[in-house]
Amino acid sequence: MAHRIFTLWAGLVVAAAFHCSAFAGPVEDGLEAAKRSDYATALKLWTPAAEQGDATAQSYLGLLYLRGWGVRQDNAEAARWYRKAADQGNTAAQNNLATLYGNGTGVPQDYGQAFVLLRKAADAGAMEAYVNLARAYEAGHGVAKDCGAALVWYRKAVSGGYPGAREALADSACRS
């Protein structure tokens, strides 16, 4: 059930993590390299930026380690980079780290911590967190079970046009 609650949708996570910016630089150049599946170059460009505190680069590194793209796959290292970015308010990292906590991937399973992160991301308008937050409310993971709140978040995701949101709502045991 935990995997249904905190689903890591590869395409959605990639879309959420790889957003575009108007200014060229190492982070953006790394993004272009990653889009070409040149993860070694992306890693080379993102690592110094991440080490200097760039939250976007930290989130991107989390994804590389999570997927094993250009590096040895390492869930704990993914969680470490996501935590650094999440602590700076990076909503993609908050959502992705919440998924790791929800599944106990690279970190101890902790629904409470997952919920806190999802709520921060969703409250900041991160569409990628809406469905996961709805599922947490639906299952009572990290929060009291609340179908009304679950439906609110599912519907916000649907209204925002988030991919897969309609299906998630249709599959919900909370739908009325």
Side-chain angles (χ1 to χ4, degrees):
M1 184 69 174
H3 288 289
R4 180 178 179 275
I5 301 307
F6 295 99
T7 306
L8 202 130
W9 300 341
L12 300 179
V13 172
V14 171
F18 292 157
H19 65 279
C20 294
S21 178
F23 302 103
V27 175
E28 294 76 19
D29 292 345
L31 174 60
E32 291 306 313
K35 288 178 179 178
R36 295 187 311 269
S37 298
D38 181 359
Y39 302 119
T41 298
L43 179 69
K44 180 180 168 185
L45 292 165
W46 289 336
T47 299
E51 288 172 346
Q52 292 172 9
D54 186 290
T56 302
Q58 292 167 343
S59 183
Y60 290 166
L61 282 182
L63 184 61
L64 292 183
Y65 280 99
L66 182 66
R67 294 293 180 208
W69 292 338
V71 294
R72 182 180 57 81
Q73 195 272 336
D74 185 336
N75 294 331
E77 187 68 3
R80 185 176 80 82
W81 285 112
Y82 280 144
R83 169 57 66 196
K84 288 177 177 285
D87 286 349
Q88 294 184 69
N90 182 289
T91 59
Q94 290 168 339
N95 181 71
N96 295 341
L97 183 58
T99 300
L100 297 182
Y101 274 111
N103 291 328
T105 303
V107 292
Q109 188 172 48
D110 184 339
Y111 292 130
Q113 183 62 35
F115 179 82
V116 167
L117 289 161
L118 287 173
R119 189 63 200 232
K120 283 181 184 178
D123 285 346
M127 297 261 308
E128 67 268 18
Y130 291 0
V131 171
N132 283 336
L133 185 61
R135 288 182 172 151
Y137 274 114
E138 183 175 353
H141 285 176
V143 65
K145 186 174 182 171
D146 183 342
C147 276
L151 290 172
V152 165
W153 287 104
Y154 279 128
R155 290 177 181 139
K156 282 182 102 165
V158 169
S159 331
Y162 196 69
R166 270 190 208 291
E167 294 80 9
L169 176 59
D171 291 343
S172 171
C174 288
R175 72 178 188 281
S176 35

